[in-house]
Amino acid sequence: MLAHAAAVVDAIKRMHDKGVTARQVAIQWQSLMAFKHTFTNPVPENTQRAFEQQGIACCPAAVRFVGPRAVRVAGMTLESRFFVVATGA
């Protein structure tokens, strides 16, 4: 989202002497960030819900591997054949 907005502004500025005119081209960061958050804010909850619907237990907390098939999370040691550590994008 942010890279696209910057690319749009850059493209308009590059076309200034080539037939494209604009009085002022600028990014309103507060508005752009609010728009971006409409996409990004729901992601963690939607991801957790999708995992749980597939039977995957979620533990949103700091995690540390303590063995080849064990992690320590929220004061508990959990053992499993597979773990997914979803740290975000």
Side-chain angles (χ1 to χ4, degrees), residues 3-4 11-12 30 32 35 40 43-44 66 68 72 74-75 81 87:
H4 181 67
I12 292 169
Q30 191 172 22
L32 182 61
F35 180 63
T40 58
V43 171
V66 294
R72 185 100 176 131
R81 185 171 167 203
T87 61

Side-chain angles (χ1 to χ4, degrees), residues 32-53:
L32 182 61
M33 291 302 290
F35 180 63
K36 179 192 80 98
H37 288 301
T38 66
F39 293 94
T40 58
N41 285 355
V43 171
E45 185 177 319
N46 292 343
T47 300
Q48 184 169 338
R49 185 172 31 258
F51 282 157
E52 289 170 351
Q53 289 173 348

Side-chain angles (χ1 to χ4, degrees), residues 5-13 16 20-28:
V8 168
V9 170
D10 180 62
I12 292 169
K13 287 181 177 181
H16 175 68
V20 176
T21 59
R23 293 190 178 193
Q24 182 181 5
V25 179
I27 294 174
Q28 301 296 322

